Amino acid sequence: FDTWYELFMLICSESHKSDSGCSLKTDPYWCHPPGLTNGEVTCHSPRGRAYRSTLGTRCQMSCDRGYKLLGRRSIMCLANRSWSGTAYCRSIVCYLKIFITSHSYWPGIIKSVQFTCSLIATLTGVVNFIHCYYFVITVVFYLHDFVFHSVRRCPELFPPLHGYLSCSSDGSNYGAMCEYHCEGGHERRGVSSRVCQFNRSWGGDPAECVPIEIKADVKTAPALLDQFYEKRRLLIVSAPNMSDPDYQLQNIMIQKADCGLALRHVTVIELLGSPPRETGRIKESLLQPQVIEGLRISRSYFSMVLLDELGLDRERFISPVGSDELFSYIDSFLLDEEEREKLELRSDFCD
């Protein structure tokens, strides 16, 4: 299926043909219209422009200049009449405090700053005078033994187990913000970020990265797929039975590639056989028969379907694929630049 919405609506139409309640999901106001103070919300619905908040509508969040987006950049209207996440725009405030202990050199300092910044502008053709003044005054004050600014620092913030931090500034200055991120197979529990406060302490409590808990005993395919939305990619392997030679070969290669798949945030779902003996599982957890049928993937022949984090069908394979070929496709077409950089740093993690 090309989108989560199509999957929802197909399952809905098949399982509720006589149920008028299903048609409510086409309500143009299925979810409350989203708003974003000091920002902009751009929505696109699979049903057209008249449906700005119906089931399956996806909205992109962006902030005005001078504001930073905290939270989800993309949200979707879900079947439970709520959006898949929240966001808000926080004002970006820069603090510059200059403390001067002696004024005898002040005229000379101003003259030096003006001369230096003008020289930079002459040589480069362009100069940001605010940044230039900040830099040159810092140097001049240092040379003249002035106290230019007092840096307030917080204690070192350590990354969580199975996670890492990305921080602004140098990571511990007053006003610096550190965001928590979790590695593949784990999700954040707690705050998404912490800010170094004026009292030299970090706001909020430390977050932790815990293993993602997938509930395999859900009753519908959408309920299963919702757990992976914007968190994990899916590799769905299907075959007539466990003795299928293509399945057996692919299963061996997947077991060897388990570490690499985890680094790329890929979860494997196996679908085997036909009713009444069909089997579906995620590792050791078995899926309900109605969930297997709801995924609408044939098990009459071997195949693999690769879905991205938004649930989009990105590639299909009808014969076994080695880990090198599979990883090459994922790295080239599914990972963003930041993920590729992190993957490069962990290149020997699975050796």
Side-chain angles (χ1 to χ4, degrees):
F1 299 95
D2 291 335
T3 64
W4 291 94
Y5 173 80
E6 292 177 327
L7 181 58
F8 275 125
M9 295 308 296
L10 177 58
I11 296 171
C12 180
S13 62
E14 291 294 329
S15 57
H16 301 281
K17 288 182 178 178
S18 61
D19 186 356
S20 60
C22 188
S23 63
L24 290 175
K25 297 183 180 180
T26 63
D27 184 348
Y29 298 102
W30 180 254
C31 291
H32 183 75
L36 186 63
T37 304
N38 299 315
E40 182 179 2
V41 181
T42 304
C43 298
H44 300 279
S45 171
R47 297 183 58 82
R49 295 183 178 179
Y51 298 83
R52 294 193 67 252
S53 56
T54 190
L55 176 64
T57 296
R58 188 176 303 282
C59 296
Q60 301 294 326
M61 323 291 279
S62 60
C63 293
D64 298 335
R65 176 174 292 185
Y67 293 85
K68 180 176 181 179
L69 183 70
L70 297 180
R72 290 288 183 87
R73 189 171 298 277
S74 174
I75 60 175
M76 187 177 75
C77 179
L78 303 178
N80 60 3
R81 303 187 78 99
S82 66
W83 294 96
S84 60
T86 58
Y88 69 95
C89 296
R90 191 182 71 175
S91 176
I92 300 175
V93 181
C94 297
Y95 297 92
L96 178 60
K97 295 185 178 181
I98 302 177
F99 300 93
I100 303 175
T101 58
S102 174
H103 300 279
S104 59
Y105 293 100
W106 181 245
I109 291 173
I110 293 296
K111 187 175 181 180
S112 298
V113 171
Q114 292 174 338
F115 173 78
T116 304
C117 290
S118 298
L119 179 61
I120 294 175
T122 302
L123 295 176
T124 64
V126 64
V127 65
N128 185 321
F129 274 91
I130 295 178
H131 291 169
C132 180
Y133 269 53
Y134 182 93
F135 173 75
V136 176
I137 288 177
T138 302
V139 174
V140 173
F141 274 27
Y142 174 78
L143 294 176
H144 287 79
D145 198 25
F146 282 101
V147 178
F148 172 63
H149 61 281
S150 177
V151 179
R152 306 181 71 87
R153 296 183 182 276
C154 288
E156 182 180 0
L157 197 62
F158 295 98
L161 184 64
H162 302 299
Y164 58 95
L165 296 169
S166 61
C167 301
S168 61
S169 184
D170 70 349
S172 61
N173 283 355
Y174 165 54
M177 182 176 70
C178 291
E179 297 181 349
Y180 286 89
H181 306 274
C182 294
E183 297 174 349
H186 296 78
E187 60 183 349
R188 187 186 67 250
R189 178 179 293 171
V191 298
S192 61
S193 62
R194 301 176 71 189
V195 177
C196 178
Q197 302 178 106
F198 187 75
N199 62 1
R200 294 189 175 93
S201 67
W202 291 97
D205 296 321
E208 57 181 346
C209 294
V210 298
I212 294 178
E213 297 181 5
I214 302 299
K215 297 179 180 179
D217 58 349
V218 294
K219 304 300 183 182
T220 64
L224 175 69
L225 298 176
D226 274 348
Q227 300 178 75
F228 299 96
Y229 180 71
E230 290 190 340
K231 296 179 181 178
R232 304 281 293 176
R233 302 174 178 94
L234 290 178
L235 182 64
I236 304 178
V237 183
S238 61
N241 50 62
M242 294 185 65
S243 60
D244 182 84
D246 286 341
Y247 167 76
Q248 291 182 342
L249 177 59
Q250 188 66 68
N251 189 41
I252 293 174
M253 291 189 287
I254 286 179
Q255 290 179 10
K256 293 181 178 179
D258 185 65
C259 179
L261 291 172
L263 288 179
R264 292 165 174 83
H265 300 183
V266 178
T267 295
V268 178
I269 297 179
E270 294 184 347
L271 305 177
L272 302 171
S274 301
R277 297 183 177 180
E278 72 271 28
T279 300
R281 64 189 180 191
I282 302 175
K283 293 187 179 297
E284 303 301 326
S285 301
L286 297 179
L287 303 179
Q288 298 290 331
Q290 59 267 36
V291 173
I292 299 173
E293 293 300 318
L295 291 173
R296 307 290 182 182
I297 295 179
S298 173
R299 281 96 64 200
S300 60
Y301 54 89
F302 172 84
S303 70
M304 289 200 306
V305 181
L306 181 62
L307 305 181
D308 64 16
E309 291 176 311
L310 300 180
L312 300 179
D313 184 342
R314 299 299 296 271
E315 189 58 74
R316 291 175 178 255
F317 307 92
I318 58 174
S319 59
V321 178
S323 59
D324 290 342
E325 180 181 351
L326 182 60
F327 291 163
S328 176
Y329 182 87
I330 295 174
D331 297 348
S332 300
F333 300 105
L334 271 65
L335 302 187
D336 56 33
E337 184 176 351
E338 182 180 356
E339 287 180 304
R340 293 191 192 98
E341 292 177 355
K342 293 171 184 174
L343 189 63
E344 183 68 24
L345 295 175
R346 297 173 173 84
S347 58
D348 57 349
F349 184 80
C350 297
D351 293 343

